[in-house]
Amino acid sequence: MYAQEVKSTGQGVKSLEEMAPDERAFQEKVNAKIKIEPKDWMPEGYRKTLVRQISQHAHSEIVGQLPEGNWISRAPTLERKAILLAKVQDEAGHGLYLYCAAETLGVSRDQMTEQLLAGKAKYSSIFNYPTLTWADIGAIGWLVDGAAIMNQVPLQRCSYGPYSRAMIRICKEESFHQRQGYDIMMKLCAGTAEQKEMAQDALNRWWQPALMMFGPPDGDSVHSAQSMAWGIKQNSNDELRQKFVNETVPQAEYLGLTPPDPDVNWNEDKQGYDYGELDWNEFYEVLKGNGPCNKERLEARQKAWDDGEWFRDGLMAHARKREMRKQAAE
Amino acid sequence: MSNEWPLWEVFIRGQHGLSHRHVGSLHAPDAEIAIKNARDVYTRRNEGVSIWVVPSSDIVASAPGDKEPLYEPSNSKVYRHPTFFDIPEEAGPM
Ligand SMILES: [Fe+2]
Ligand SMILES: [Fe+2]
């Protein structure tokens, strides 16, 4: 998802009997759905897995502003521009809530930023695709935020208190994102033949990457069992992906658009839609840094960090000076 | 010296008449900017009528291990709850 490649450090899932008293007490709390808070004892693997997952999630929110930000100055109307600005500002907020949640686990904001800029920390593969037309802004809201919601709703019940609370705030804001995207698609699909074609083209390009947001197929996702036992993960990747396809196909139909996959068909037995094999090779390549926009995204983050340095330092120097003056006057 | 902006805890009064509630934290160089950032980060949809910011380093918290000495004593004082006392119905509403 927004954290697609969280390597957990735990080996296998231990049974309660195999655990030391501290760990057992911790696991019993998780099982009883009692939230774990920053100062509580927690296994080192739990802390590390959460730092990785929450920081990847935060980085995704921040980098995710870039493809959409690309269209702020070119939105077709002033109203669309204001809406897109508000949406992108929300994503900045989401990144900040999540960085704060990660910081409660003992990692600093600067450390996380450095890891992102050094290419050591991942962010979601989806944000390495380009936004070529205005219809892409519609498709992102509809599909990318739609997939994000699918993943984030269960994360509200995550065992770690600060992450769970950040997710609750985020989920409250996501519905607006998806709806404004679908609204753009509706407008385009009710427009001229060229506009409708633009919408179909955007769906064609975003469909697969959106389905890949849920991460590799369950069989290949080796770290799920421990994350589920720890209450960090609630559903399997394939489970959520299927749910997303089931919701999205009728929405595409309503628009008069067709998912770019001939295998999308209603399956009466499973009461859901079948869909074709996804190109996981592409997914791993994008994660490795070889997607169409990986380089551009990191360069943009690096530039923002470098260009903002004088400002961050200046404000800090000013704050220190004022503090010293205040102390001298006392 | 690290130039990372210090961390602040943010408390927001959601509505007139309610207490401030902790909503999260943020980084800012000083209190004034912490308030401005808190407005942008935590009240984009009219979530509040008043904001407090406190340097995180000034928060003193009870330790999770102190749970028993802190809260156990009140467990045995059930008479602090009104339901401890049986008042006959004939006495009227109370
Ligand atoms: Fe978001
Ligand atoms: Fe969003």
Side-chain angles (χ1 to χ4, degrees):
Chain A
M1 192 34 193
Y2 274 13
Q4 293 159 319
E5 212 196 29
V6 180
K7 292 203 173 69
S8 104
T9 42
Q11 284 84 37
V13 180
K14 277 192 226 164
S15 70
L16 284 177
E17 288 70 37
E18 292 170 288
M19 292 175 184
D22 270 351
E23 189 174 1
R24 184 180 173 138
F26 163 87
Q27 188 63 51
E28 279 169 345
K29 256 166 96 179
V30 170
N31 295 349
K33 311 254 178 279
I34 298 170
K35 296 279 182 242
I36 306 300
E37 295 297 339
K39 294 206 153 134
D40 294 342
W41 187 90
M42 61 186 82
E44 207 32 47
Y46 177 82
R47 179 189 302 275
K48 277 196 183 141
T49 304
L50 273 174
V51 167
R52 287 203 189 104
Q53 173 161 341
I54 302 173
S55 63
Q56 277 184 36
H57 194 157
H59 295 325
S60 298
E61 302 283 353
I62 297 299
V63 176
Q65 296 177 95
L66 296 169
E68 290 180 294
N70 179 33
W71 279 89
I72 290 175
S73 60
R74 291 177 287 153
T77 67
L78 189 56
E79 188 186 51
R80 290 285 187 202
K81 181 176 180 164
I83 292 170
L84 184 56
L85 257 176
K87 198 262 186 197
V88 172
Q89 192 193 21
D90 274 353
E91 305 300 3
H94 296 177
L96 296 181
Y97 309 155
L98 288 162
Y99 281 133
C100 289
E103 281 172 278
T104 63
L105 292 159
V107 59
S108 80
R109 180 77 58 99
D110 279 2
Q111 276 172 325
M112 287 186 275
T113 306
E114 278 156 20
Q115 282 168 354
L116 173 71
L117 296 180
K120 282 188 215 146
K122 304 274 183 233
Y123 56 88
S124 177
S125 57
I126 193 79
F127 301 117
N128 291 311
Y129 291 86
T131 40
L132 305 177
T133 73
W134 172 250
D136 288 11
I137 301 308
I140 288 181
W142 171 35
L143 301 172
V144 177
D145 290 88
I149 292 172
M150 202 53 88
N151 185 261
Q152 289 171 341
V153 165
L155 279 176
Q156 295 178 98
R157 285 179 281 119
C158 171
S159 60
Y160 188 56
Y163 193 27
S164 151
R165 292 190 285 273
M167 290 321 308
I168 290 170
R169 294 193 75 86
I170 289 175
C171 284
K172 269 194 207 148
E173 299 176 348
E174 285 293 357
S175 183
F176 148 57
H177 299 178
Q178 189 182 22
R179 281 164 166 248
Q180 65 84 35
Y182 196 69
D183 190 65
I184 292 174
M185 296 305 268
M186 286 200 301
K187 194 87 183 176
L188 288 170
C189 290
T192 63
E194 284 106 318
Q195 285 173 319
K196 186 155 185 189
E197 206 177 298
M198 237 167 81
Q200 179 66 55
D201 168 63
L203 173 59
N204 291 351
R205 283 180 292 107
W206 291 95
W207 174 259
Q208 273 233 28
L211 294 195
M212 288 179 187
M213 285 173 69
F214 296 95
D218 293 347
D220 306 343
S221 179
V222 277
H223 311 295
S224 289
Q226 182 62 75
S227 280
M228 288 209 185
W230 278 335
I232 296 175
K233 198 174 168 150
Q234 322 277 343
N235 307 83
S236 83
N237 297 351
D238 284 334
E239 214 178 300
L240 291 172
R241 188 168 12 249
Q242 182 66 58
K243 239 180 123 185
F244 177 71
V245 171
N246 291 351
E247 268 191 18
T248 308
V249 173
Q251 292 164 357
E253 265 165 26
Y254 178 82
L255 294 171
L257 302 177
T258 318
D261 175 356
D263 294 328
V264 169
N265 287 305
W266 178 252
N267 180 329
E268 191 59 33
D269 291 340
K270 73 172 185 191
Q271 287 294 301
Y273 288 89
D274 288 330
Y275 55 93
E277 186 76 37
L278 301 169
D279 182 1
W280 291 107
N281 209 19
E282 174 178 315
F283 171 79
Y284 287 114
E285 281 304 313
V286 175
L287 267 195
K288 253 194 270 166
N290 302 325
C293 299
N294 294 60
K295 200 167 158 272
E296 191 184 325
R297 301 291 183 243
L298 270 193
E299 278 169 5
R301 289 313 306 151
Q302 183 72 55
K303 185 174 181 327
W305 182 247
D306 293 343
D307 290 356
E309 190 178 13
W310 68 271
F311 177 75
R312 293 190 306 272
D313 289 356
L315 286 183
M316 205 58 233
H318 178 68
R320 284 197 187 108
K321 206 158 53 179
R322 274 220 308 211
E323 191 56 38
M324 265 159 56
R325 257 190 231 135
K326 208 176 109 193
Q327 276 172 9
E330 273 165 12
Chain B
M1 187 185 264
S2 158
N3 261 344
E4 190 178 80
W5 289 355
L7 196 62
W8 301 75
E9 299 302 321
V10 181
F11 300 81
I12 292 189
R13 187 199 299 286
Q15 281 172 44
H16 291 288
L18 295 185
S19 308
H20 284 76
R21 234 182 93 187
H22 183 243
V23 293
S25 50
L26 50 76
H27 288 268
D30 59 34
E32 204 181 311
I33 296 177
I35 295 254
K36 289 193 174 123
N37 287 357
R39 190 225 23 221
D40 288 345
V41 178
Y42 291 106
T43 65
R44 287 192 301 284
R45 287 177 177 77
N46 281 323
E47 286 96 335
V49 294
S50 161
I51 301 173
W52 287 350
V53 292
V54 180
S56 305
S57 55
D58 287 351
I59 300 263
V60 181
S62 63
D66 290 344
K67 216 157 93 191
E68 277 163 28
L70 284 179
Y71 311 118
E72 205 82 315
S74 66
N75 280 348
S76 57
K77 298 181 178 62
V78 281
Y79 44 80
R80 290 181 183 234
H81 297 279
T83 46
F84 179 74
F85 306 94
D86 284 325
I87 305 291
E89 231 166 80
E90 298 85 76
M94 187 181 286

